[in-house]
Amino acid sequence: MIALTIWLSFPEQTCCVDKAPGRAKLCVDLHELAKINPSLCDKLDFPKLNTSALLSLISLICPNCHGRKGGLKEDLICLILQFLYEAKYKNTLHILEQETKVFFNLNYLAEVMKLGELGKAEEYLGAFTDSADNKYSKAMFLEIQKLICLESTEWEVANPSGSLDNMSPKVKLHASVAMLAKKNPALKDKLKFPSMEKSRLLTLMKQSLAWWTSRTCNNSSSMENIPVVSYLCGTPSYFKNKFRKTGPRKKVINCKPNEINDISQCNALVLPDYCSEERIVRLTYSPSGDYILALAEDATHKLWTWSSSQNEFCKYTPRILKENIFPKPRLHQPQSGKTMKNEMAASVQNSTSCFAIKGSYLFSTSGGKIAVFDLKSFEKVGAFGSPTPMATYFIFIPGDLLAVGLDDGSIFIHCLSSRKVKEKLEGHDQKITCLAFSRCFNVLVSSDSDGKLCLWSTKSWVKLTSKNSTQKFCSRSNLESTSLVTHIQFDPYQIEILVVHEGWIGVHDARCLDCRVQWIPDESDTSITSATYSSDGEIIYVGFGSGFIKILDSKTLVTICRIDLTSVTQPSPSNIRLEVYPTVIAAHPSHLSQISAGLSNGKVIVLQPLWSRGWGETAPPEDDGDYPDDSDHSY
C-alpha cells in the first residue's frame, strides 16, 4: 500500500514525462510485495479443481451427498441442467451432463454425429458408459466406429432394389445408435430430461447455502433434517425407475428366441428337384434375386427361376404375410437338354467346390479346371487353369480382375480381358479357403485352412497385415480343436468382416483384421456348417450340423430365432444319410428376411417368417387384458 500511495502522490508536473516505464516498474514491485505479504501468501494461486467450477460449487454446497437418490445435490443438479437448457448455454450444459452423468442427451449425441464430430460423440457416450458395460454399449461404440470409417471415405453403398426402406448407410447407423441407446440399461434411467417445477436457481441455492452454513457452524456431518424445498416435494419423476403413461400400455416382450419347430410356424418351400441327391456345397441368389443357383457335391449345377413379376411375393401386408406367398419356381432346363457339370478332381475327398457369377456367365470348379458356362443356354464356353495346384476359391474384383486362391496357399490375380496373370500373392502356407473384397478400403482378405487371415492392397498388391484368427480364442470343449476358416464375408458397409469357423464365428475390423467380437454356440450345438449376413447386415444366419439354423442380431450377437430344419424336411428313403442339415445358407439380396438353405440331402429350401417384423416376432397372443402394473416398456 505504501508503494501505491507514493505512486498516487506524484506531483502534477510529471504529466509531461513518459509514465509507462514507471508504471511497469511499480507493477513489478507490487507483484513482489504481494508475494512476500503474509496476509496474501495463501491466496495468490487460483484453486485447482478436478472438475468444472460449476460442479465444484455444487459439491461445496452439498457435501457428503454422493449416491443419495433424489437428494438435495441431485435436485440441485437437475435444476441447474434445466436452467442451462432454458438459457441455451449449450457448451456448459453438455459438459455438465458429462460430468454429472444425470441426463444423457440423445438429441445432442445425434446432433454431433450429424455434424460429423464423431470424436466428440464417442467422448460424450464414454462419459456415461463403456464398451465393456453391456452388449448395447459395445454395439453403440461399434456403430460410431462404422460412421468414422464411412466418413474417411466418400464411398456409399447403394441400397438393393426392393429394400424395405431407402435410408443411406449413414442414416441407418444414426438410427441404430438411437435405438441401441433406448435399449441400453446403462442409459435407460438417464434418457428423460429432468421434469421439475420452474423456479429461480437462486432460490434453491440460497436455501442450500443456508442449510450448509448451519451444518458447518455446528461442526456436524449428519444428513438428517435436510430442509424440504416446497416445489421439490416428493421424489422427482426423473429418478423413478418406472413411469406411468396415459393411453394403452405395451405388453412385456418375451426376450427368449423365437422357436420354429414346425412347418406351420414359418413360410417354407422346398424347391422342385428331380436331379441328384448329393449334398449342396454352394448356393447363391442372382444379384436381382430372380433365380437361385446351387452346386452339388457331384459337380452338378441346379438353377431355379421365376419371373420378376412373380418375385413380388415377398412384399409384406401390414401385419401377416399372405398365405400363398411363394410363386411356383421351376428347375430350369434349356431346350438343348444340356446340363452344367464341372470336371471333378481325381481325389473327391480333397476337392473344393466354388463358383462366381459375372453377368450371364458362370465361373465354376469342383476340383478340376475352372469352367465357364452360359447361364441361358448352359453351354460350356471355356475353361482355364490346371488340376494342380487346384483352385479352391475365386471372386471377381472391379477392374476386370479375377482373384483365384489355390490349395498350395498362393493367390493369382487374372486379368480377364488380356487373359494374363497380373499378380501372384504369396502369404499363406495352407489351402486358401475363402476370399473377400472391400470396395470401401480397396483391400482383399484371404483365409486359409490354418486359420490365417491376410490383408492385401488391391492398388499395389502388397500384403498390408496378417493375423491368426484363432490366436486368442478356443473352440468349445465338445468339438475337436480346429483352426479351419470355412467362410469370410464383408458386411454391406464393407468395413467389418465375418469370419466363420466350425466352432465359432468372429467379426473382425477390415482395416487391421483385429477381432472385435466373437460368438460361441451353446454346448448342445454341433459344428457350424455355414454362416452369412442378411443383405442389410442386421442379421447373421448360422447353420449347424444338428439340423438347426440360428438367427442372430449382428450388433449384439443375441439369438433372436432358432429354426429346426429336421421338422421341416425329411430324408428320402434312398439317401443313406440319417440326418438332414443345412450345408450352406444364402440370403436374398433385397428381401431382408428371406433365406435359402442347401441341405445335406441335395434339396434346397426357401424360408421366411410369417410375420412382417421379421424372425424375432412370434404370433401375437390374444389380448387377455393382463397387463403388468406400473411398467414402462418403451422401444
Side-chain angles (χ1 to χ4, degrees):
M1 293 302 293
I2 296 174
L4 181 60
T5 304
I6 294 172
W7 178 76
L8 291 174
S9 61
F10 276 168
E12 191 68 28
Q13 60 265 28
T14 61
C15 62
C16 296
V17 181
D18 188 1
K19 300 177 182 178
R23 286 175 177 169
K25 185 177 185 307
L26 281 173
C27 287
V28 173
D29 293 340
L30 284 170
H31 186 266
E32 295 299 322
L33 288 170
K35 287 193 339 186
I36 61 175
N37 191 331
S39 301
L40 303 176
C41 62
D42 58 346
K43 299 179 176 65
L44 294 177
D45 293 326
F46 192 83
K48 294 181 180 179
L49 304 174
N50 294 326
T51 54
S52 70
L54 186 55
L55 188 59
S56 298
L57 177 61
I58 295 171
S59 298
L60 184 65
I61 295 171
C62 305
N64 305 320
C65 292
H66 298 287
R68 187 178 177 87
K69 204 69 169 173
L72 186 65
K73 181 176 180 179
E74 291 196 356
D75 288 341
L76 179 58
I77 290 171
C78 289
L79 198 61
I80 291 174
L81 282 171
Q82 181 178 321
F83 174 81
L84 293 172
Y85 181 81
E86 292 173 354
K88 301 191 184 301
Y89 299 144
K90 282 193 174 183
N91 291 337
T92 307
L93 171 64
H94 300 314
I95 290 172
L96 187 61
E97 287 167 357
Q98 289 174 250
E99 291 178 339
T100 59
K101 301 178 180 64
V102 170
F103 170 58
F104 183 78
N105 195 329
L106 191 55
N107 290 334
Y108 171 70
L109 183 67
E111 179 183 341
V112 294
M113 287 169 59
K114 187 176 181 181
L115 293 173
E117 299 175 343
L118 300 173
K120 188 180 290 186
E122 273 193 314
E123 180 185 356
Y124 187 78
L125 178 61
F128 293 85
T129 184
D130 184 78
S131 59
D133 284 350
N134 57 63
K135 59 190 179 185
Y136 299 102
S137 296
K138 179 183 290 186
M140 288 180 75
F141 281 102
L142 187 58
E143 297 297 75
I144 294 176
Q145 281 295 314
K146 288 182 181 179
L147 279 168
I148 292 173
C149 290
L150 286 180
E151 288 288 345
S152 66
T153 78
E154 296 181 356
W155 182 77
E156 286 278 352
V157 181
N159 285 318
S161 59
S163 176
L164 296 179
D165 54 63
N166 294 317
M167 292 193 295
S168 71
K170 289 182 182 179
V171 174
K172 280 188 176 182
L173 289 171
H174 286 201
S176 175
V177 170
M179 177 196 69
L180 290 165
K182 293 174 183 177
K183 292 184 177 181
N184 195 331
L187 304 176
K188 184 179 179 182
D189 292 338
K190 298 178 174 68
L191 291 175
K192 187 177 177 64
F193 193 83
S195 177
M196 307 174 71
E197 293 183 29
K198 293 183 179 180
S199 180
R200 294 293 80 196
L201 176 63
L202 186 59
T203 304
L204 181 59
M205 292 187 69
K206 282 182 177 180
Q207 295 191 35
S208 301
L209 283 169
W211 169 83
W212 178 76
T213 303
S214 63
R215 307 306 292 181
T216 305
C217 292
N218 294 332
N219 294 321
S220 171
S221 60
S222 171
M223 296 303 298
E224 299 179 27
N225 302 320
I226 298 177
V228 177
V229 183
S230 59
Y231 54 83
L232 293 177
C233 287
T235 306
S237 60
Y238 170 69
F239 293 111
K240 293 181 179 177
N241 292 326
K242 298 177 181 179
F243 303 93
R244 293 179 177 271
K245 291 186 176 182
T246 57
R249 302 175 185 174
K250 297 173 182 173
K251 285 197 172 184
V252 178
I253 302 298
N254 190 357
C255 294
K256 293 183 178 179
N258 183 21
E259 296 278 348
I260 296 179
N261 299 310
D262 188 80
I263 189 75
S264 63
Q265 294 177 291
C266 68
N267 290 306
L269 176 69
V270 177
L271 299 182
D273 186 5
Y274 314 103
C275 300
S276 69
E277 295 182 347
E278 293 293 324
R279 73 186 185 104
I280 304 298
V281 291
R282 297 291 175 187
L283 184 71
T284 188
Y285 282 89
S286 70
S288 60
D290 59 349
Y291 66 80
I292 293 175
L293 179 67
L295 175 58
E297 197 171 40
D298 64 353
T300 303
H301 296 86
K302 307 174 186 181
L303 190 148
W304 292 269
T305 63
W306 46 77
S307 68
S308 58
S309 60
Q310 284 181 311
N311 201 28
E312 296 296 315
F313 66 89
C314 293
K315 288 189 175 178
Y316 293 127
T317 58
R319 181 63 183 170
I320 183 173
L321 297 175
K322 296 179 181 179
E323 293 183 1
N324 299 320
I325 61 165
F326 290 109
K328 291 183 178 179
R330 62 187 180 91
L331 184 63
H332 180 67
Q333 183 66 48
Q335 292 182 351
S336 64
K338 291 182 180 293
T339 60
M340 295 186 292
K341 188 165 185 177
N342 288 333
E343 172 189 328
M344 295 188 69
S347 174
V348 178
Q349 291 182 345
N350 296 326
S351 66
T352 303
S353 300
C354 176
F355 61 50
I357 298 171
K358 186 175 179 64
S360 60
Y361 292 95
L362 170 68
F363 289 62
S364 182
T365 184
S366 296
K369 291 184 177 182
I370 298 175
V372 183
F373 295 96
D374 186 323
L375 285 172
K376 295 178 180 179
S377 64
F378 285 10
E379 186 80 26
K380 185 176 180 179
V381 296
F384 62 96
S386 60
T388 56
M390 179 174 61
T392 54
Y393 204 90
F394 49 83
I395 60 169
F396 293 104
I397 297 176
D400 203 31
L401 301 177
L402 177 70
V404 181
L406 305 177
D407 63 352
D408 65 356
S410 59
I411 302 169
F412 284 86
I413 309 300
H414 294 262
C415 180
L416 296 176
S417 56
S418 66
R419 299 187 178 183
K420 293 181 179 179
V421 175
K422 184 176 181 179
E423 295 286 344
K424 181 182 180 181
L425 311 182
E426 294 181 313
H428 293 276
D429 298 323
Q430 303 295 323
K431 175 179 75 173
I432 300 298
T433 57
C434 202
L435 300 168
F437 169 72
S438 170
R439 190 191 307 264
C440 182
F441 298 115
N442 289 310
V443 294
L444 176 72
V445 178
S446 55
S447 64
D448 66 22
S449 57
D450 202 29
K452 185 178 182 180
L453 302 174
C454 288
L455 185 71
W456 312 86
S457 167
T458 57
K459 297 295 184 183
S460 62
W461 298 111
V462 171
K463 185 172 75 170
L464 303 175
T465 188
S466 62
K467 292 286 173 69
N468 184 347
S469 63
T470 65
Q471 197 165 24
K472 60 178 180 178
F473 300 123
C474 296
S475 57
R476 297 196 324 266
S477 58
N478 64 338
L479 288 176
E480 293 184 6
S481 178
T482 175
S483 56
L484 173 68
V485 176
T486 59
H487 182 63
I488 57 177
Q489 179 190 9
F490 279 99
D491 74 317
Y493 306 108
Q494 298 197 346
I495 58 178
E496 288 182 340
I497 189 164
L498 177 69
V499 179
V500 184
H501 295 260
E502 291 183 356
W504 69 89
I505 63 174
V507 178
H508 293 243
D509 189 325
R511 298 166 296 179
C512 58
L513 299 182
D514 288 342
C515 185
R516 287 179 166 175
V517 64
Q518 182 200 31
W519 181 78
I520 301 176
D522 298 331
E523 288 286 338
S524 58
D525 293 322
T526 55
S527 61
I528 295 173
T529 58
S530 178
T532 187
Y533 277 115
S534 60
S535 58
D536 62 352
E538 298 295 314
I539 284 175
I540 299 174
Y541 299 97
V542 186
F544 293 89
S546 56
F548 290 93
I549 294 177
K550 284 192 174 182
I551 302 173
L552 314 179
D553 182 303
S554 65
K555 296 184 184 66
T556 61
L557 298 185
V558 170
T559 303
I560 60 175
C561 183
R562 190 181 79 147
I563 305 172
D564 183 0
L565 283 182
T566 59
S567 63
V568 177
T569 60
Q570 295 295 330
S572 62
S574 62
N575 198 324
I576 61 172
R577 294 183 178 86
L578 300 178
E579 296 180 353
V580 176
Y581 60 90
T583 54
V584 60
I585 301 173
H588 194 286
S590 57
H591 298 302
L592 306 183
S593 296
Q594 187 188 128
I595 58 170
S596 295
L599 306 179
S600 56
N601 65 354
K603 300 295 184 182
V604 173
I605 186 169
V606 182
L607 301 164
Q608 71 180 51
L610 284 175
W611 307 98
S612 59
R613 291 186 180 177
W615 289 107
E617 184 180 21
T618 58
E622 293 185 6
D623 192 343
D624 56 5
D626 184 18
Y627 297 99
D629 293 333
D630 297 327
S631 296
D632 175 50
H633 302 285
S634 55
Y635 303 95

